Amino acid sequence: MLCLNGRHFGLRSGSKYLLIHTRSQSSQPSPKDLEKKWTKIWRDLSPTNSLHPTKHLSEENSPKYYGLTMFPYPSGLLHLGHLRVYTISDVVARYKRLKGFNVIHPMGWDAFGLPAENAAVERGIDPAVWTDTNIEKMKEQMGLMLADFDWDRELSTCSPDYYKWTQKIFLLLHEHGLAYRKNAEINWDPVDKTVLANEQVDAEGRSWRSGAIVEKKNLEQWFIGITKYAHDLNKDLKLLNEWPDKVKTMQKNWIGESTGAEIIFPTTNQNIPELTVFTSRPDTLFSVQFLAISVSHPLVTEYITKDAHLREFLDKVKDAESDSKEGYLLPGVQVSIPMDQKNNKSSKYNVPVYVAPYVLGTYGHGAVMGCPGHDERDYDFWTKHNPTKPIIQVVGSKDVNDIVDLPFTKKDGILYNRSVLKATGVEDIGEYEGKTVKQAGSSIVHNLQSIGLGGKSTQYKIRDWLISRQRYWGAPIPMIHCHDCGIVPVPDKDLPVLLPSTEGFEFGKGNPLEKAESFLNVECPSCGEHAKRDTDTMDTFMDSSWYFFRYLDSKNDNVPFDSKVVSKSMPVDMYIGGVEHAILHLLYTRFISKFLGDIGLWNGEQVNNEPIKKLVTQGMVQGKTYKDPDNDRFLKPEEIDLSDSKNPRVKATGKIANSSYEKMSKSKYNGVDPGECISKYGADTVRAHMLFQAPVSDILNWNEEQIVGVDRWLKKVTNLQSQIADKLSATVNVGNKEIELHNVEVQGQVKESYSFTKAEFELFKDVQSHLKDISEAIEIDLSLNTVISDLMKFTNRIIAAVKSEDAYSQDILIDAYKKLLISMSPVTPCTSEECWELLSKLENKEWSSILNEKFPNIKTIESQFAVYNIFINGRARASFEQSKDFISLSESDILKEIKNYGNIKELIKNKEIKRIIIKPGMISLVLAK
């Protein structure tokens, strides 16, 4: 007999006694104490200083699971967005360990970049010191949120041990002709004073980081030839079945693969004999009414020196929007549609040429066909500059009698017959009359090719990746400029090219590396003469384009990573991060992975060298924001009266404040410190609340008022033990074990045969159903909000059993409780571990971490019972529950049984039963009238 907190328990189960350890609710440790207790125990037990004491025990031949989150920039402060993404990843990783997977769940730091350098400018501190300090702060915060990462794999992109290999990958790209230097028009950020890749400029022409309007400059820069992989990057999007469609669409549009034709337009100008145009609609050739060329076209470059009006125009439109309809008619330049409708070379020279800012100089040949009859943009441009001239339309509805609005842009039409063409100004369409768009386009391209004025072509919008950055805090580009030898790669033995000390640097005045003499001056590795290092550093997206490979072999001193080690664990099974990286990071990642696979650094042939199997883009976390209704000013927390949460008031005026959910920001006073929140409620509660509030991909409106529901649930789970003890102490006889199941798991052991009472069977069946729902929500749907609701239902089901009048054996009740704790341990590890420890005392067993358990086997069990409705003369009179084989009994036995339900006995008393109809779920009695 055991006496605890004044209560005595001695429960008989067969011939054995079960001693139950209970703790009063008032003595329960606080969430903070609970986390402090268990994180210390786990870390003491773990050889990797993680929050999982047993994960190193995973067997090498277990199936692998590589879970990854986009590593953060070490800013020094984690926000709720970080908490959300790390919790999602952590829950799945912990679940996979319970399922027996050999889990890889690393973390590192995207540590190079402008923010650290700007911080050095503002504070007079070395970027390396700033970065290392922030890393320590953020690691501590990750521990508070119970993020269980493989810290033995940790990496930082600003460490020489890492960027040595980024430099090596650059040299491999150079060796294979994919890294090159050229003079080009570039995007210049006037605030951060550095070059930006095209992908880092938004649709409004602003820098992705500083927000400044980007300027155009001509500089000699380093590029990576991503366009050579454009076709594969586009084609292999179809392999990414577990990527969000919106991300694939964004990449597809950015790559911009267009199949069409190059068409050569002869010109009257002797110095420029022809203009080449790419078009995806060769079927509209005979509707061309003008050509438009970009402001950077070679023809513009030639004319600008002798045409003052052109110079004025270019100055006027230098900041024009991409949809501008401004245009300049080049005097004396006219071209001819290259062939007539009879497929002969044509020399009519009646098509004008405009310089137009809407034409991209980087796409095709920087020239487009102007077909006002079949293109919205061309229509707007033409009607602005030639409002009185007719518009030629050569493609229309398949029903030629249909009247269509201009421009006609549909691609399912046909080329018009002669009668309609005459009305539009085209006298004859030749052999193309009546052909579909596809048929006509194919024929036109074939005939252009036969006269040497065109042919099939594929073009891409994507441009080569500009990686040069004129800043200090980045991986130095490992190239040397020699007066005699040209540009020479740094030998492998001299890697890494280290960043110099910042002592004496003047940040904020251009690229400090250009003035670092000890760094700049070097011997040429080829001839030994005096030479200069390249002073550009690499775009930080180079660092993040391959880091997931390095995680798998992070201590390798000889190569970036071992091919066999990496090939065994790639691709990443699930990658979680923001959709804002859909083009920048994720496209570069796919490109570098394909390149590294092509040169044999890893074997990804089965997945076409695609590095990521499943991509999850979590929604943003938004905070409650309050504004003054008088001036729309954001209000600080101390300016709001929240005594009536439904009607928040401005303290100064008493007026009801305007409230909404918006992206968290210091300027909006709506941010939430994860550390403070965890200190207040506990990490388990905050994690579960974070998951419960919204589906993973949806925006999450953080509402702290609702966290009480999760807190209440966890207290229910903790209190269940004493309730189970009370239930078992009152149990004398559990009843008849009338239901038998085979090969079921009870108390962690698979039983060949196990007998249940009806109540026990229904509880066991429901437990299996909850486990199945939880498992599928994590493994298949990643519906973690429903996992929390399923766990709550699971808890309530056990409580219902405990509170019912039905009797249960200790094995069945404790089995259900154990399965609840195991299934909730990925979400709430501290609460689960605490209850598990108490269970070990309950059963007089030595404690072993719940994190070392396996997820319970799931057995789909159909109920042995069915509900039967009783009808008398067609009217429903009663219902009852019986075994499914009840209807196989004789009519007399069935009649004997149903008389016991409701008032059936009275209704059929002294009446002749003419007929009994027995069907599944229904027993119908037909009585004599």
Side-chain angles (χ1 to χ4, degrees), residues 530-669:
H530 175 72
K532 300 280 187 182
R533 288 196 188 279
D534 200 301
T535 58
D536 285 348
T537 54
M538 290 186 229
D539 178 11
T540 55
F541 285 105
M542 275 289 291
D543 306 318
S544 59
S545 67
W546 72 282
Y547 76 108
F548 42 88
F549 288 110
R550 183 68 179 176
Y551 273 145
L552 300 172
D553 198 12
S554 62
K555 305 297 188 295
N556 199 319
D557 294 328
N558 302 313
V559 289
F561 48 82
D562 184 278
S563 175
K564 290 183 179 178
V565 171
V566 163
S567 299
K568 183 179 179 181
S569 298
M570 286 291 288
V572 174
D573 289 285
M574 186 168 75
Y575 195 29
I576 308 176
V579 72
E580 66 271 17
H581 296 292
I583 294 172
L584 288 164
H585 166 58
L586 290 169
L587 189 61
Y588 297 151
T589 287
R590 295 180 59 221
F591 160 61
I592 291 295
S593 298
K594 287 181 177 295
F595 166 71
L596 294 176
D598 285 349
I599 64 173
L601 283 194
W602 77 291
N603 182 3
E605 291 181 359
Q606 291 185 344
V607 290
N608 281 22
N609 293 327
E610 287 290 343
I612 299 162
K613 182 179 179 182
K614 180 173 185 173
L615 176 69
V616 176
T617 54
Q618 86 287 349
M620 182 186 301
V621 180
Q622 298 187 144
K624 195 69 171 287
T625 310
Y626 299 99
K627 291 182 181 180
D628 191 318
D630 291 334
N631 52 29
D632 218 30
R633 178 178 64 87
F634 290 109
L635 296 169
K636 298 177 182 179
E638 59 268 24
E639 296 178 294
I640 303 291
D641 177 3
L642 294 175
S643 56
D644 179 358
S645 60
K646 294 183 179 179
N647 295 291
R649 295 184 181 274
V650 183
K651 287 182 178 179
T653 64
K655 294 182 178 180
I656 296 177
N658 296 326
S659 61
S660 62
Y661 282 96
E662 297 185 29
K663 182 180 179 181
M664 290 186 178
S665 166
K666 290 180 180 179
S667 63
K668 298 175 183 176
Y669 311 107

Side-chain angles (χ1 to χ4, degrees), residues 734-794:
V734 297
N736 295 326
K737 301 278 188 172
E738 57 193 43
I739 301 172
E740 186 176 1
L741 292 179
H742 299 283
N743 298 318
V744 293
E745 184 183 65
V746 179
Q747 288 276 46
Q749 296 182 349
V750 176
K751 310 284 187 179
E752 289 185 13
S753 177
Y754 196 88
S755 298
F756 300 84
T757 66
K758 178 181 177 183
E760 288 176 341
F761 172 81
E762 290 299 322
L763 175 61
F764 188 83
K765 174 178 66 68
D766 290 345
V767 166
Q768 298 303 307
S769 177
H770 288 308
L771 290 172
K772 180 173 182 290
D773 290 342
I774 291 165
S775 182
E776 289 181 353
I778 296 174
E779 286 197 68
I780 300 173
D781 304 320
L782 199 66
S783 176
L784 300 188
N785 59 315
T786 66
V787 167
I788 308 302
S789 62
D790 287 335
L791 287 169
M792 290 177 173
K793 293 174 185 175
F794 195 165

Side-chain angles (χ1 to χ4, degrees), residues 43 118 185 367 574 584 589 608 679 735 812 920:
R43 286 193 172 113
N118 290 341
E185 184 182 72
M574 186 168 75
L584 288 164
T589 287
N608 281 22
S679 178
I812 293 302

Side-chain angles (χ1 to χ4, degrees), residues 385-455:
H385 295 279
N386 299 276
T388 62
K389 292 187 177 180
I391 292 174
I392 299 174
Q393 180 188 1
V394 298
V395 180
S397 172
K398 291 181 179 179
D399 184 349
V400 295
N401 294 314
D402 285 351
I403 299 174
V404 297
D405 294 329
L406 290 178
F408 183 82
T409 59
K410 295 180 180 179
K411 296 180 181 179
D412 60 350
I414 61 168
L415 272 70
Y416 278 122
N417 62 24
R418 290 188 181 91
S419 61
V420 178
L421 285 168
K422 287 178 182 178
T424 62
V426 179
E427 296 181 358
D428 190 1
I429 203 68
E431 67 176 76
Y432 307 108
E433 177 187 331
K435 287 187 175 180
T436 66
V437 164
K438 185 176 181 180
Q439 292 169 337
S442 178
S443 296
I444 287 172
V445 172
H446 174 77
N447 291 326
L448 284 169
Q449 190 168 4
S450 67
I451 59 175
L453 291 175

Side-chain angles (χ1 to χ4, degrees), residues 30-206:
S30 69
K32 189 174 181 179
D33 291 338
L34 201 62
E35 285 148 23
K36 184 177 179 180
K37 168 187 173 179
W38 286 111
T39 52
K40 183 180 185 305
I41 291 173
W42 292 331
R43 286 193 172 113
D44 288 345
L45 291 173
S46 173
T48 59
N49 194 34
S50 72
L51 295 178
H52 199 297
T54 57
K55 68 182 179 184
H56 62 287
L57 299 177
S58 298
E59 298 180 4
E60 283 297 316
N61 58 356
S62 299
K64 70 93 180 175
Y65 171 78
Y66 188 177
L68 189 63
T69 63
M70 294 182 184
F71 61 170
Y73 169 74
S75 63
L77 181 66
L78 295 179
H79 50 69
L80 281 180
H82 289 111
L83 175 58
R84 188 182 197 194
V85 69
Y86 299 152
T87 300
I88 294 167
S89 183
D90 189 57
V91 167
V92 177
R94 289 175 180 271
Y95 169 81
K96 288 291 186 178
R97 288 197 186 98
L98 291 176
K99 295 288 283 187
F101 282 78
N102 190 0
V103 173
I104 302 164
H105 192 224
M107 177 50 68
W109 312 97
D110 193 7
F112 271 139
L114 286 171
E117 189 165 342
N118 290 341
V121 175
E122 295 169 9
R123 296 169 175 80
I125 187 173
D126 190 317
V129 174
W130 171 259
T131 301
D132 289 343
T133 301
N134 289 342
I135 285 174
E136 290 307 311
K137 291 179 184 177
M138 293 174 74
K139 282 184 73 171
E140 184 178 347
Q141 284 184 294
M142 288 180 181
L144 289 176
M145 64 177 65
L146 306 180
D148 175 26
F149 293 118
D150 301 339
W151 290 114
D152 54 330
R153 298 180 184 271
E154 181 183 10
L155 59 82
S156 177
T157 60
C158 69
S159 166
D161 292 339
Y162 184 85
Y163 72 73
K164 169 183 179 178
W165 302 115
T166 302
Q167 291 172 340
K168 176 59 180 176
I169 290 171
F170 173 89
L171 293 175
L172 288 169
L173 288 162
H174 184 266
E175 178 185 329
H176 288 82
L178 290 172
Y180 64 94
R181 189 174 170 87
K182 73 171 182 177
N183 191 284
E185 184 182 72
I186 53 84
N187 306 303
W188 180 260
D189 186 325
V191 172
D192 285 329
K193 295 182 173 58
T194 190
V195 169
L196 301 173
N198 290 330
E199 293 86 344
Q200 293 167 327
V201 180
D202 67 19
E204 296 179 353
R206 295 183 180 276

